[in-house]
Amino acid sequence: MWQYVNMTSSINPVLIDNQTVWFNFSAWIGGFEDQNDNANVSLTFVDQTNQQVGSTIVLGSVLAADRGNITKLLLRQTNGILPVGARSAVVTVVFTRLNGISSNDGAVDNMALHFYQ
């Protein structure tokens, strides 16, 4: 699943290009018991022609060993400065099934992307 965020509807592009706008990106990521089914949450910034600027940021995977083999969500987060030329952001979630017969037990909750100066 994914969501496209037009940043220029609330942030002046001059502030972005002067590198004065920061972001905080976070999500609670986890899974089921001793299974390694997982979720990755990524953030990609794009310019006005929808070309990627900067590197894609990935939160996850949270595997069974990270969770102590119990069903649990763990907070993953990062922050940084918006890259020059960024005008929109794309947040993507990818679930990967590694264990079990047919169900993917990767989990993600409370994803957040905040901008600030």
Side-chain angles (χ1 to χ4, degrees):
M1 66 182 154
W2 58 272
Q3 182 171 1
Y4 183 90
V5 179
N6 178 351
M7 298 184 304
T8 59
S9 64
S10 61
I11 303 170
N12 185 329
V14 172
L15 297 174
I16 295 170
D17 293 344
N18 286 334
Q19 295 188 303
T20 62
V21 181
W22 288 73
F23 69 89
N24 180 276
F25 180 48
S26 63
W28 287 85
I29 304 171
F32 178 73
E33 294 182 351
D34 63 349
Q35 294 182 12
N36 279 322
D37 294 354
N38 62 80
N40 282 313
V41 182
S42 65
L43 171 64
T44 303
F45 294 105
V46 296
D47 65 15
Q48 62 190 12
T49 63
N50 285 325
Q51 298 301 307
Q52 181 175 334
V53 292
S55 300
T56 296
I57 299 154
V58 179
L59 304 177
S61 299
V62 174
L63 302 176
D66 301 317
R67 298 179 277 103
N69 292 321
I70 62 173
T71 301
K72 186 177 188 179
L73 296 170
L74 300 176
L75 177 64
R76 295 292 187 251
Q77 67 178 339
T78 189
N79 58 24
I81 297 174
L82 292 181
V84 173
R87 297 297 180 262
S88 300
V90 181
V91 176
T92 306
V93 180
V94 175
F95 295 94
T96 303
R97 182 176 62 86
L98 297 175
N99 299 108
I101 296 172
S102 62
S103 297
N104 185 330
D105 292 313
V108 64
D109 195 13
N110 203 25
M111 295 175 287
L113 176 59
H114 298 277
F115 303 107
Y116 59 96
Q117 283 188 286

